[in-house]
């Protein structure tokens, strides 16, 4: 009999967290490492949110459990914020507060998948999706995309992959790891296809406020209202308010899904930390000035990073339209001599870059896209330029 269950033993560690941990360990050991691994804003949480949390700490009411689906006032505020920001009109009863968007993703697939159900998963995908689908007993059906479609999946691909076991589609725009942002027309076509085929959509809107240039965010159930009864929206405070460590996210779903996933939470986490929920309440009730300031910085860094990456011979990078990641192709440098070593894939390349240039990047293999790597531009301008310049120097030999 195996020591660990097959289900748990099969889970791969989050590659993005692993890269970040390695980079932080090297830094702690005194190495001058620049980390492009972590998917978190480098800004502190805005003061008014921190103050709300400090106040909550001294209020005995927030030393207690909250209702499992979340503080009623936070659920109501999330419903209001959703109508304000994306135009999706929902009730507080449609909102379940979760331990970060990550738990909302896990809950969504736990609610939808029976063993063997298929979930369409466009690649490059965020590392957590396939694991959450598999943990729920579902089969991720990976649909590869590349630069030729701007890393966007097409309705033709969805149709070709469709079987009677297709239960759901994972959709994310703006995307982690590619930064792709789908147009309203593209979202409408995909949403209509899902309605016509009775396929659920799990749509991750966590980067809704981070779009650049001419790109605009659109919420799928707003563009295709017929989807509302078979759609789960994932969101949270982490990226919009620089609150990654507070662990507050949510899902928005039809009442039966909120009830079922709430039941699940009663047995695994009970509720999100009370003080964190009160901080999140201040965040979503407040304005969007903090994210406007961050977006401006990310936009500037995005253009700097894309320019520097495209100047490296053998590296090509599409301009990302959203989130805070560049997803360049390194295919042109694989197989070449790099400081006496040869990288045959981007896993090896990332190792060489970390060892020799002291720069942490996440290999595309982690996102189902070998040949590429993800670099977050959520770090200071000087480090960003220094980090990409180090890669350029190493690759130039
Ligand atoms: C696409 C996407 N969805 C959801 C999350 C979850 O964020 P959190 O659990 O920190 O709220 C992340 C975090 O990296 C993400 O990139």
């Amino acid at each position: 009999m195996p020591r660990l269950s097959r289900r748990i033993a099969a889970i791969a560690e989050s590659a993005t967290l692993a890269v970040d941990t390695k980079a932080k360990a090297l830094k702690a050991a005194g190495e001058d490492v620049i980390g492009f691994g972590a998917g978190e804003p480098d800004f502190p949480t805005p003061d008014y949110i921190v103050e709300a949390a400090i106040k909550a700490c001294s209020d005995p009411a927030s030393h207690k459990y909250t209702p499992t689906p979340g503080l009623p006032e936070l659920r109501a505020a999330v419903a209001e914020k959703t109508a304000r920001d994306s135009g999706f009109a929902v009730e507080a009863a449609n909102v379940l507060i979760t331990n970060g968007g990550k738990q909302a993703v896990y809950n969504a697939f736990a609610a939808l998948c029976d063993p063997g159900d298929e979930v369409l998963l466009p690649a490059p995908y965020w590392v957590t999706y396939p694991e959450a689908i598999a943990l729920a007993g579902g089969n991720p059906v990976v649909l590869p995309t590349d630069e030729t479609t701007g890393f966007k999946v097409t309705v033709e691909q969805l149709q070709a992959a469709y079987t009677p076991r297709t239960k759901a589609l994972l959709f994310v725009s703006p995307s982690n790891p590619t930064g792709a942002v789908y147009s309203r027309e593209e979202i409408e076509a995909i949403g209509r296809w899902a309605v016509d085929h009775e396929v659920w959509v799990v749509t991750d809107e966590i980067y809704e406020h981070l779009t650049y240039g001419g790109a605009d965010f659109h919420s799928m159930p707003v563009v295709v209202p017929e989807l509302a009864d078979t759609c789960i929206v994932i969101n949270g405070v982490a990226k919009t308010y620089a609150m990654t460590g507070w662990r507050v996210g949510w899902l928005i779903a039809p009442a039966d899904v909120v009830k079922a996933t709430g039941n699940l939470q009663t047995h695994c986490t009970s509720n999100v930390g009370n003080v964190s929920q009160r901080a999140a309440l201040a965040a979503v009730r407040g304005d969007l000035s903090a994210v406007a300031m961050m977006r401006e910085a990310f936009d500037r860094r995005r253009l700097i990073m894309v320019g520097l990456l495209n100047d490296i011979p053998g590296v090509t990078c599409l301009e990302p339209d959203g989130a805070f990641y560049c997803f360049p192709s390194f295919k042109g440098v694989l197989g070449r001599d790099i400081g006496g070593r040869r990288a045959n894939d981007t896993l090896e390349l990332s190792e060489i870059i970390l060892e020799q240039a002291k720069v942490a990047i996440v290999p595309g293999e982690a996102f189902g896209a070998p040949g590429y790597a993800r670099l977050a531009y959520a770090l200071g301008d000087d480090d960003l330029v220094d980090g990409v310049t180090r890669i350029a120097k190493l690759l130039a030999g």
Side-chain angles (χ1 to χ4, degrees):
M1 193 175 287
R3 218 170 128 72
L4 300 182
S5 75
R6 286 187 192 86
R7 194 168 61 96
I8 296 302
I11 303 173
E13 180 186 8
S14 161
T16 50
L17 293 185
V19 167
D20 193 44
T21 306
K22 201 164 170 185
K24 281 181 179 148
L26 284 171
K27 250 188 200 167
E31 300 266 19
D32 171 25
V33 173
I34 295 183
F36 289 119
E40 61 182 343
D42 55 318
F43 299 96
T45 303
D47 288 348
Y48 67 95
I49 300 173
V50 176
E51 273 149 26
I54 292 170
K55 213 167 139 210
C57 278
S58 18
D59 176 2
S62 43
H63 303 167
K64 305 289 181 197
Y65 294 127
T66 75
T68 291
L71 287 168
E73 56 271 44
L74 178 57
R75 298 174 77 195
V78 167
E80 270 171 39
K81 165 248 165 291
T82 304
R84 175 193 72 186
D85 294 352
S86 77
F88 189 28
V90 291
E91 305 290 328
N94 297 114
V95 177
L96 178 82
I97 306 298
T98 57
N99 278 278
K102 217 171 233 184
Q103 191 185 20
V105 171
Y106 178 86
N107 282 354
F109 292 113
L112 295 181
C113 292
D114 275 321
D117 283 349
E118 293 169 2
V119 179
L120 303 179
L121 178 61
Y125 47 69
W126 179 45
V127 292
T128 289
Y129 300 138
E131 301 295 345
I133 295 165
L135 269 172
N139 287 339
V141 176
V142 175
L143 308 178
T145 69
D146 61 21
E147 298 91 330
T148 57
T149 60
F151 294 111
K152 296 180 201 175
V153 76
T154 62
V155 167
E156 290 69 36
Q157 280 180 289
L158 300 178
Q159 187 59 44
Y162 176 81
T163 76
R165 293 300 311 259
T166 306
K167 181 71 188 271
L169 159 70
L170 184 289
F171 183 77
V172 54
S173 172
S175 155
N176 173 7
T178 65
V181 179
Y182 288 70
S183 70
R184 192 186 167 90
E185 293 69 32
E186 289 162 339
I187 292 173
E188 181 168 5
I190 291 171
R192 294 229 168 279
W193 179 87
V195 170
D196 291 346
H197 292 76
E198 297 182 4
V199 167
W200 283 73
V201 176
V202 176
T203 178
D204 189 335
E205 302 189 344
I206 205 139
Y207 295 101
E208 65 181 328
H209 292 295
L210 295 175
T211 58
Y212 314 105
D216 284 322
F217 165 78
H218 296 281
S219 177
M220 194 180 276
V222 175
V223 176
V224 183
E226 302 90 308
L227 199 60
D229 198 43
T230 46
C231 182
I232 301 178
V233 176
I234 311 289
N235 208 333
V237 293
K239 320 285 174 174
T240 303
Y241 304 98
M243 290 180 72
T244 46
W246 299 81
R247 310 309 304 137
V248 185
W250 53 83
L251 60 77
I252 297 174
D256 55 345
V257 173
V258 172
K259 176 78 183 112
T261 51
N263 289 347
L264 171 62
Q265 278 189 193
T266 62
H267 296 296
C268 54
T269 51
S270 289
N271 63 262
V272 175
N274 196 327
V275 170
S276 283
Q277 290 193 61
R278 287 176 202 275
L281 181 62
V284 297
R285 275 188 182 160
D287 64 21
L288 294 169
S289 50
V291 69
M293 178 278 291
M294 289 193 285
R295 187 176 49 226
E296 215 180 291
F298 292 148
D299 192 11
R300 183 182 66 244
R301 296 168 185 176
R302 165 184 84 107
L303 296 173
I304 295 172
M305 186 181 260
V306 173
L308 290 172
L309 285 168
N310 279 318
D311 281 346
I312 304 175
V315 178
T316 53
C317 186
L318 278 191
E319 201 174 287
D321 290 326
F324 40 60
Y325 308 101
C326 279
F327 201 68
S329 164
F330 284 91
K331 289 176 191 165
V333 303
L334 297 179
R336 266 203 219 157
D337 181 77
I338 305 168
R341 288 182 62 183
R342 196 175 301 275
N344 293 310
D345 55 34
T346 27
L347 274 173
E348 288 175 1
L349 181 69
S350 307
E351 264 176 43
I352 296 173
I353 290 176
L354 183 56
E355 277 166 28
Q356 302 199 9
K358 305 281 181 262
V359 175
I361 63 175
V362 189
E365 282 81 353
F367 310 102
Y372 300 83
R374 192 191 79 175
L375 287 81
Y377 48 86
L379 77 176
D381 296 38
D382 292 347
D383 275 356
L384 187 153
V385 172
D386 185 12
V388 183
T389 307
R390 287 190 203 179
I391 298 175
K393 278 195 186 138
L394 175 68
L395 297 182

